[in-house]
Structure formats: C-alpha cells, structure tokens
Amino acid sequence: MQLYTKRGDYGNTNLIGQRTIPKDNIRVETYGTLDELNSLIGVIVSQMDEEDNRLKSELIDLQHLLFDCGTDLATFDGERPYKVKKEAVEWIEEQIDVYAEEPPIIEKFVIPGGHPVASLLHLARTVTRRAEHLIVTLNREEKINTVVAIFVNRLSDYLFALARIVNHRKGVAEPLYERGGKVFH
Amino acid sequence: MQLYTKRGDYGNTNLIGQRTIPKDNIRVETYGTLDELNSLIGVIVSQMDEEDNRLKSELIDLQHLLFDCGTDLATFDGERPYKVKKEAVEWIEEQIDVYAEEPPIIEKFVIPGGHPVASLLHLARTVTRRAEHLIVTLNREEKINTVVAIFVNRLSDYLFALARIVNHRKGVAEPLYERGGKVFH
Amino acid sequence: MQLYTKRGDYGNTNLIGQRTIPKDNIRVETYGTLDELNSLIGVIVSQMDEEDNRLKSELIDLQHLLFDCGTDLATFDGERPYKVKKEAVEWIEEQIDVYAEEPPIIEKFVIPGGHPVASLLHLARTVTRRAEHLIVTLNREEKINTVVAIFVNRLSDYLFALARIVNHRKGVAEPLYERGGKVFH
Ligand code: B12
Ligand code: B12
Ligand code: B12
Ligand SMILES: C[C@H]1O[C@@H](n2cnc3c(N)ncnc32)[C@H](O)[C@@H]1O
Ligand SMILES: C[C@H]1O[C@@H](n2cnc3c(N)ncnc32)[C@H](O)[C@@H]1O
Ligand SMILES: C[C@H]1O[C@@H](n2cnc3c(N)ncnc32)[C@H](O)[C@@H]1O
Ligand SMILES: [Mg+2]
Ligand SMILES: [Mg+2]
Ligand SMILES: [Mg+2]
C-alpha cells in the first residue's frame, strides 16, 4: 500500500465524493476531532482487563458508531443517505439510564479521576465536548445530519456515567468538588 | 439521577445564573478546556504510586482549584463574587520556587518524556497552554477574573517543574534538545 | 533557575528574535500544538519496553525533529535560516515505505486501538492532524517554512504505519471498520 499520496501537501484535501476543500475547513476539523476521540477510546479499551469484557466490547461498538458519525460529517449534504439513525440515540439513552442507576446518587461535581480507566473515560468525555463545539459551529454554517449532533451530546453523558460505574465496580473512592454546591438533581 | 436533559440538543447551553449561550461560545470552550485539563490531571494521579503520596494529594488540591477557575469562567461578570483569589497565585509560585531548585540546572530545552508520570505532566503542561490561549481571547472579548489568567500561566511552569522533579526523583535520564542553543537563564 | 518571569501575565509573549505578539496568535497556537504532540510522543516512548529499543530511539529522533519544526515556526520569516530541510521529508518517506510493507495489506479503515502503544500512536496521529490544520491556516496568513507543512502531513501517515507495525509485531488483532467499503488502494 502506498500510504502517502502527496496530494495533501499544499493544504487541500477531499470529502467523500471527491469535493476539494482546504484542510483547515471546519468540516475536516470536526471529523478529525471525532477521529481523535475514537483513538482515545482505543486507548481506553487497550487499558481494560478481562473482567471488563462487556464494557470493552460495548466501547468497540461505539468506535464503529463514531466511524458512522465521521462518514456522515465527511459527506457533503445530499450526496448519499446518512448512516447514523435515531436508533443510535435511543440505544445510548438506554445505556445511560441503566448505568446512571448503578453508582450512588451524588449531588456535587465529581473530581475527574480514580481508577486509570475511569480517569481516561473522563478525559474522553471532555474530548467529546470539544468535538461537540465544532459540530455546533459546522451545523450553523452547513447542512449536516443533526442526529450526529444529538448522539455526540448524549455521548459525553454516557462517558460520565461509565466513568462513575468503573470507579464504583473497582471500589475506588470518588472525591467530590468540595467548594461547590448542589448541582445534580 | 436523570443525567441527560436533552436541553442541549439544539446547540445551546447555560452559564451559572441560567443565561443561555451557544455551545461553541468562547466562554464555554474555555472552561471546557479546563475540564479537559482537570481530567488529564486525574489520569496522572491515577498513574502515581504510594511513594508519590505528597505530590498526589497536591495534584488533587489543584483539581479543586481548577474547578474554582471553571466556576469563575462560567459566571457572567458581576453576578457573584469570584472564587480564585491572588492567594492561589502566591501558593503556586511558592511551589514552583521550591520545585525548580531540586533538579539540576539546565540551559537547553528538555525533550518531553522520561518516566510515564513525568511524560504525562509535560502533556498536561501543553494542554494548560492551550487553555491559556482561550483565556487570552476570552479576556479580550468579555470581562473575566484576571487572576484565573495569571494562575493558568503559572500553572504550566508548575507542571514543567513537576515533570523535572519526577524524572529526577525516579532517576530517569532527561535528554536535552541537542540542536538548540542556551534558552534558560 | 527562575522559571516564571511574569512577562506573560497580560496575554503577550515573544517569538524568537523578541518580537511581541498576543498568546492567542495563530503562530503561537501552532507551535504550541507541536509541543503537545511532542509531549504525547514522550508519553508513548515512556510506555515502550526494552524489545522496542529501535522504535524507541527513532521516536526520540523524531522529538528532536519536532523541536526543529517548532523553532522554524517560532521564527518570524527571514530572520534566520530554517532548520527543517527536505532531507527530513525524504527520511520519513523512506521509513513509511519500509513500515507500510510489514503488516498485512488492508482495504478498510482500521478501528484505532489494539496494543496500548499502538493505541497511543493512533492518538498521536490525530493530534498531528490537528497541528496540520493550524499550519495550513498559518501558511495562508504568514510566510513559513513549507517543508514543515509537508513533514507534518507525512508524519501522520508515518504514525499510522507505526501503529499497525506495533499491533502486528505484538500479535494483537486489528479490527476493521465493518460498515465501510474499500478505502485503501
Ligand atoms: C473521510 C475519510 C477519512 C476519515 C474517516 C471518517 C469516518 N468515517 O470516520 C478519517 C479522518 C478518520 C480518515 C482517516 C484516515 N485516512 Co482517510 N479518507 C477519507 C475519505 C475522504 C473518504 C473515505 C470514506 O469515509 N468513505 C466512506 C466509506 C468508509 O464507507 P462507505 O462508502 O460508506 O462504504 C460502504 C457502505 O458503507 C455502503 N454504504 C454507503 N452509504 C451507506 C449508507 C448506509 C445507511 C449504510 C448502512 C451503508 C452505506 O456502501 C459502501 C459499499 O461497501 C477518503 C478519500 C475519498 N474521497 O475517498 C480518504 C482516504 C481513504 N484516507 C486515506 C488515509 C491515508 C487515511 C489515514 C491513514 C490518514 C492518517 N494518516 O491518519 C487515516 C486512516 C484511519 C484509519 N483508522 O484507518 C487515503 C488512503 C490512501 C491509500 N493508500 O489508498 C484516502 C484515499 C485519501 C487520500 N490520501 O487520497 N479518513
Ligand atoms: C459550569 C457547569 C459545568 C462546568 C463546571 C465548571 C467548573 N466549576 O469547573 C463543567 C464544564 C466542568 C461541567 C461538567 C459537567 N456538567 Co455541568 N453544569 C455547569 C452549570 C452551568 C453551573 C454549575 C456550577 O458550576 N455551579 C456552581 C457550583 C459548583 O458551586 P457554587 O454555586 O459556587 O456553590 C456553593 C459555594 O461555592 C458557595 N459560593 C458561591 N459563591 C462563592 C464565592 C466564594 C468566594 C466562595 C468561597 C463560595 C461561594 O455557595 C454555594 C452554596 O453551596 C450547571 C447548570 C446551571 N446553570 O446550574 C451545569 C450542570 C450542573 N451540569 C450538568 C452535567 C450533566 C454535567 C456533566 C455530567 C456533563 C458531561 N457529560 O460532561 C459534567 C460533570 C462534571 C463532573 N466532573 O462532575 C447538568 C446536571 C443535570 C442533572 N442531572 O442534574 C447541569 C444542571 C446542566 C444541565 N444539563 O441542565 N459543568
Ligand atoms: C519558541 C520557544 C518555545 C517553544 C520551543 C519551540 C520549539 N523549538 O519547538 C516551546 C513552545 C516548546 C517552548 C516551551 C517552553 N518554554 Co520557551 N521559549 C521559546 C522562545 C520564544 C524561543 C526559544 C528558541 O526556540 N530558541 C531557539 C533555540 C532553541 O535554538 P537556536 O537559537 O536555534 O540554537 C542554536 C543552534 O540551533 C544554532 N542555529 C541557529 N540557527 C540555525 C539554523 C540551522 C539550520 C542549524 C542547524 C543551527 C542553527 O545556533 C544556536 C547556537 O547554539 C524563548 C524566548 C526567546 N525569545 O528566546 C522562550 C523561553 C526560552 N521559554 C521559556 C519557558 C519557561 C518555557 C517552558 C518551561 C514553558 C512551559 N511552562 O511550558 C517550556 C519548556 C519546554 C521544554 N521542553 O523544555 C522561558 C525560559 C525562562 C527562563 N527561566 O530562562 C523563555 C526565555 C521565555 C520567557 N518566559 O521569557 N518555548
Ligand atoms: C454542564 C455544563 O457544561 C457546559 N457545556 C455544555 N456543552 C458543553 C460542551 N460541549 N463543552 C463544554 N461545556 C459544555 C454548559 O455550561 C453545561 O451547563
Ligand atoms: C516559551 C514560549 O512559549 C510561547 N508561549 C507562551 N505562552 C504560550 C502558550 N499559552 N501556548 C503556547 N506557547 C506559548 C512563547 O513563545 C514563549 O516565549
Ligand atoms: C483521510 C482523509 O482525512 C481528511 N484529512 C486530511 N487532512 C486532515 C487533517 N489534517 N485532519 C483531519 N482530517 C484530514 C481528508 O478528508 C482525507 O481524505
Ligand atoms: Mg451535554
Ligand atoms: Mg507562560
Ligand atoms: Mg495527510
């Protein structure tokens, strides 16, 4: 495989369907950030052990979904049907509902950290939110699959729930932000 | 706890005090990046072992301070007193002064790396500087607590000092940038 | 060493040659992102073991090259000769050509992940592309060493090849994106 094609050396690149755009185009930056998030999920999976097998395979399913999101965002509107359907949102909501019940109820912000995997899940949560900003900007400027925007909004809550689950299951203490008031209700 | 509220699905969100703004607003992006930094500090803490207990609890104190910074940046000016006071800057300066004396004096840039914890501290140093850019932009456009800007500037120097301390204490070699001249004086 | 100088407290900083610019200047953000990438490479090196010694020292050479790139981008045009020469691009292309041959040929996108080191290499690949966006913007606005732009474009392909090599050598399975068609040829 000839990996590099030198076509991108002068600052341009292509979308799906061969449309040429500059590499600092907001659309490219947006699916590039989903690629960053996807890679960070890969790092998380690589740190999980055997007993986490169910969560592990769920995170790999999520990686495929992130590719689906990336494909939709890399497609200039109308050129082909979108891959991410509202079923993806329903699925992630169900997962959040289940996971949010498992650890003890909290009222204050959690200090991100704890178990190494939980800590990385918090980090992924914040990278998800960085991607979300870009999606919001992109959506203002161009037509996109808005299901992707909703899915990514839900995704950061999912990763928060998962971080708490991991700490809870591993028995790692979860310190709360002590100088803050009640924020969760 | 009902984690997701769906209120953010159409690209808007709230500051402290319920003011509604778009999610790609520079203010949200700025405290979002502090959240990313805070999570990365959580990852670092999760990698430290027993013998690092003092640094570990110092980093957790820092996480609370980062929440204070976030609260101040999420507050629309004038709506409530700021949390971060100049005492926080004085505290971090004292820590830097102590830490900067411990490892050997260098004149050239350090290749970021060494011990896993030191390497992650370098990474956190650069994420701190990414947050600092955003604070500088935000401060040009809106009124903010400028103590936060100074604290975050100092914070990247603190993390640099800490990275060097960790390598020094663990006896890990610290390669210097060989094709560069004298930069530290 | 007096690490902090307080000179940057009010949002300005210096380039090589003492020119004063705001910290949120695109040039500063660009070499700051190369510093982030450089630190992430440091994290990767810190996770490699003895048997990876050759790749390890190659990545440290790369860290020096990233400093050369940073020096060039921190230099206002014309004030001194550039450090990064086309030989750096030739070197990295040779490495990619060798590495791209070793693992099995694939036609579909790879799910980023696998071995911890491979996973981090994928993450570094995406941070490289984030830096590349900024270089493209900077290059539109100011004169820079365009060899740096080409080198950084090649660098993300190099890191992709290296991620695959590591998984292949460690015998870790490499799942492919199942809902996508043939993309590599
Ligand atoms: C978008 C894109 C990316 C995105 C992927 C976005 C995403 N999905 O998340 C990102 C940024 C991640 C990416 C990364 C990379 N990319 Co890229 N990428 C592209 C691009 C522009 C389009 C490829 C694509 O997504 N096609 C869509 C594919 C995945 O699927 P599909 O068509 O939907 O496939 C089938 C089914 O889905 C079905 N289908 C179609 N519509 C629908 C709808 C529904 C509802 C369903 C169910 C099914 C369906 O029909 C198809 C038949 O099988 C191409 C260039 C081009 N214009 O083709 C380069 C390209 C493939 N990339 C390239 C490279 C080099 C890379 C990287 C190695 C770069 C790097 N150094 O990081 C990495 C590799 C990443 C990896 N993990 O393997 C090169 C490959 C060169 C070569 N040797 O051939 C290309 C050709 C660009 C180039 N240089 O010319 N890339
Ligand atoms: C800002 C904000 C954030 C910031 C926090 C900023 C920071 N401090 O660093 C960030 C971006 C980190 C964040 C993250 C999240 N958030 Co949030 N966040 C908010 C927001 C807008 C304000 C909350 C806040 O900071 N309140 C201030 C609190 C912490 O403290 P306080 O008032 O200062 O508290 C006391 C004392 O400090 C004292 N006091 C007051 N002034 C002063 C001054 C001084 C000097 C002193 C000493 C004391 C003092 O008086 C108070 C009495 O106890 C609310 C929505 C809203 N408008 O309320 C959502 C909100 C709380 N977040 C929400 C969510 C879901 C999250 C996340 C899970 C999102 C995600 N997926 O990542 C994470 C959780 C993070 C975590 N680690 O736990 C939801 C919760 C929904 C629910 N179930 O109830 C809310 C309600 C938003 C929503 N969707 O409607 N969030
Ligand atoms: C650019 C810069 C950076 C860049 C480095 C860019 C890069 N190369 O990747 C980045 C962003 C990484 C950086 C980081 C930091 N920096 Co800085 N940085 C600077 C700055 C502006 C220029 C330094 C520089 O790169 N000089 C060029 C040096 C490296 O090499 P050179 O001149 O090319 O050297 C020789 C040879 O290369 C040869 N040469 C010249 N031209 C050519 C051409 C060719 C072709 C060849 C082969 C050779 C050659 O001649 C020279 C003779 O020896 C200075 C301030 C200033 N204006 O000097 C601050 C400065 C050095 N930084 C400073 C600080 C504090 C830091 C950080 C600790 C900040 C932080 N908290 O993260 C870190 C430390 C990073 C580390 N790993 O050690 C402080 C140091 C304060 C002190 N105590 O003295 C300074 C002085 C700024 C200040 N506050 O006033 N920095
Ligand atoms: C929990 C709080 O986080 C903020 N918020 C909402 N969306 C994002 C995002 N994508 N990135 C960072 N912060 C966000 C809002 O202020 C919200 O109320
Ligand atoms: C050490 C050097 O790093 C640059 N510098 C100063 N502040 C930042 C920041 N927030 N991010 C990246 N680089 C910065 C300046 O050029 C300074 O001199
Ligand atoms: C492989 C695909 O990735 C996209 N692409 C090209 N350069 C970048 C970059 N710096 N960052 C993110 N995506 C990029 C283009 O769409 C290319 O075809
Ligand atoms: Mg949200
Ligand atoms: Mg500084
Ligand atoms: Mg490329």
Side-chain angles (χ1 to χ4, degrees), chain A:
Chain A
M1 177 164 62
Q2 179 61 28
L3 203 53
Y4 54 94
T5 57
K6 305 194 182 181
R7 273 190 277 157
D9 284 350
Y10 300 98
N12 287 325
T13 192
N14 298 303
L15 297 177
I16 297 177
Q18 305 307 335
R19 194 176 294 259
T20 298
I21 45 165
K23 276 185 183 170
D24 59 349
N25 179 287
I26 170 83
R27 190 183 278 278
V28 179
E29 204 179 334
T30 306
Y31 59 76
T33 304
L34 289 183
D35 190 15
E36 183 176 346
L37 172 62
N38 206 161
S39 301
L40 185 55
I41 306 280
V43 171
I44 297 172
V45 171
S46 81
Q47 300 295 327
M48 291 172 113
D49 41 51
E50 293 304 297
E51 52 172 301
D52 301 320
N53 266 343
R54 269 187 76 174
L55 284 189
K56 220 163 151 168
S57 75
E58 189 166 306
L59 286 178
I60 295 172
D61 290 347
L62 178 64
Q63 290 189 292
H64 282 92
L65 275 166
L66 283 173
F67 262 106
D68 292 346
C69 291
T71 308
D72 282 355
L73 294 182
T75 304
F76 192 84
D77 173 58
E79 292 194 351
R80 38 186 278 178
Y82 290 130
K83 279 186 173 173
V84 185
K85 307 274 161 64
K86 69 176 198 318
E87 283 72 21
V89 175
E90 287 161 10
W91 170 77
I92 203 165
E93 289 182 351
E94 281 161 26
Q95 299 305 106
I96 299 172
D97 292 343
V98 173
Y99 292 149
E101 291 307 309
E102 195 179 310
I105 289 180
I106 46 170
E107 299 197 322
K108 296 182 174 211
F109 282 129
V110 165
I111 300 295
H115 186 274
V117 168
S119 306
L120 285 167
L121 284 163
H122 272 292
L123 186 62
R125 171 181 70 72
T126 66
V127 175
T128 306
R129 283 152 82 82
R130 176 147 57 76
E132 190 189 15
H133 294 159
L134 292 166
I135 293 174
V136 168
T137 306
L138 178 61
N139 184 40
R140 196 180 294 116
E141 295 175 13
E142 302 194 34
K143 215 175 155 272
I144 61 163
N145 182 3
T146 52
V147 182
V148 171
I150 296 172
F151 181 78
V152 171
N153 185 16
R154 222 60 93 239
L155 180 54
S156 66
D157 293 331
Y158 168 88
L159 292 166
F160 179 76
L162 224 57
R164 296 200 62 220
I165 286 270
V166 169
N167 278 330
H168 185 246
R169 291 188 185 167
K170 305 280 180 186
V172 176
E174 200 182 33
L176 302 181
Y177 171 43
E178 58 199 20
R179 291 193 289 278
K182 179 177 183 333
V183 292
F184 294 118
H185 6 246

Side-chain angles (χ1 to χ4, degrees), chain B residues 45-53 56 115 117 170:
Chain B
V45 171
S46 81
Q47 298 296 326
M48 290 170 114
D49 41 51
E50 293 305 297
E51 51 171 303
D52 302 320
N53 266 343
K56 220 163 149 169
H115 187 273
V117 168
K170 304 279 181 190

Side-chain angles (χ1 to χ4, degrees), chain B residues 32-123:
Chain B
T33 305
L34 289 183
D35 190 16
E36 183 176 344
L37 173 61
N38 206 160
S39 301
L40 185 55
I41 306 280
V43 171
I44 296 173
V45 171
S46 81
Q47 298 296 326
M48 290 170 114
D49 41 51
E50 293 305 297
E51 51 171 303
D52 302 320
N53 266 343
R54 271 189 73 178
L55 285 188
K56 220 163 149 169
S57 76
E58 189 166 306
L59 286 178
I60 295 171
D61 290 347
L62 178 64
Q63 290 189 293
H64 282 92
L65 276 167
L66 283 173
F67 262 106
D68 293 345
C69 291
T71 307
D72 283 354
L73 294 183
T75 304
F76 192 83
D77 173 56
E79 292 195 352
R80 37 185 278 177
Y82 289 131
K83 279 187 172 170
V84 185
K85 306 275 162 62
K86 70 175 196 319
E87 284 71 22
V89 175
E90 287 160 11
W91 170 78
I92 203 165
E93 289 182 352
E94 281 160 26
Q95 298 307 104
I96 299 172
D97 292 342
V98 173
Y99 293 151
E101 292 306 311
E102 195 180 310
I105 290 179
I106 47 169
E107 300 198 322
K108 296 181 174 210
F109 282 129
V110 164
I111 300 295
H115 187 273
V117 168
S119 307
L120 285 167
L121 284 164
H122 272 293
L123 186 62

Side-chain angles (χ1 to χ4, degrees), chain C residues 59-74:
Chain C
L59 286 178
I60 295 172
D61 291 346
L62 178 64
Q63 289 189 292
H64 282 91
L65 275 166
L66 283 173
F67 262 105
D68 293 344
C69 291
T71 307
D72 282 355
L73 294 182

Side-chain angles (χ1 to χ4, degrees), chain C residues 6-143:
Chain C
K6 305 192 181 181
R7 272 189 279 157
D9 283 351
Y10 300 97
N12 287 325
T13 193
N14 299 304
L15 296 177
I16 298 179
Q18 304 308 337
R19 193 176 295 259
T20 299
I21 45 165
K23 276 186 182 168
D24 60 347
N25 178 288
I26 170 83
R27 191 184 277 280
V28 179
E29 203 179 334
T30 307
Y31 61 76
T33 304
L34 289 184
D35 190 15
E36 182 176 345
L37 172 62
N38 206 160
S39 302
L40 185 55
I41 306 281
V43 171
I44 296 172
V45 171
S46 81
Q47 299 296 327
M48 291 171 113
D49 41 51
E50 293 305 296
E51 52 171 303
D52 301 319
N53 266 342
R54 271 188 74 176
L55 284 189
K56 221 165 151 168
S57 75
E58 189 166 307
L59 286 178
I60 295 172
D61 291 346
L62 178 64
Q63 289 189 292
H64 282 91
L65 275 166
L66 283 173
F67 262 105
D68 293 344
C69 291
T71 307
D72 282 355
L73 294 182
T75 304
F76 191 84
D77 173 56
E79 291 194 354
R80 38 184 278 177
Y82 289 129
K83 278 187 173 171
V84 185
K85 307 274 161 62
K86 68 177 197 321
E87 283 72 22
V89 175
E90 287 161 9
W91 171 77
I92 204 166
E93 289 182 351
E94 281 160 26
Q95 298 307 104
I96 299 171
D97 291 342
V98 173
Y99 292 149
E101 292 307 310
E102 196 180 309
I105 290 179
I106 47 169
E107 300 197 323
K108 295 181 174 210
F109 282 129
V110 165
I111 300 294
H115 186 273
V117 169
S119 306
L120 286 167
L121 284 164
H122 271 294
L123 186 61
R125 172 181 71 72
T126 65
V127 175
T128 305
R129 285 154 81 82
R130 176 146 56 76
E132 190 189 15
H133 294 157
L134 292 167
I135 292 173
V136 168
T137 307
L138 178 60
N139 183 41
R140 195 181 293 116
E141 295 175 13
E142 301 195 36
K143 217 179 153 267

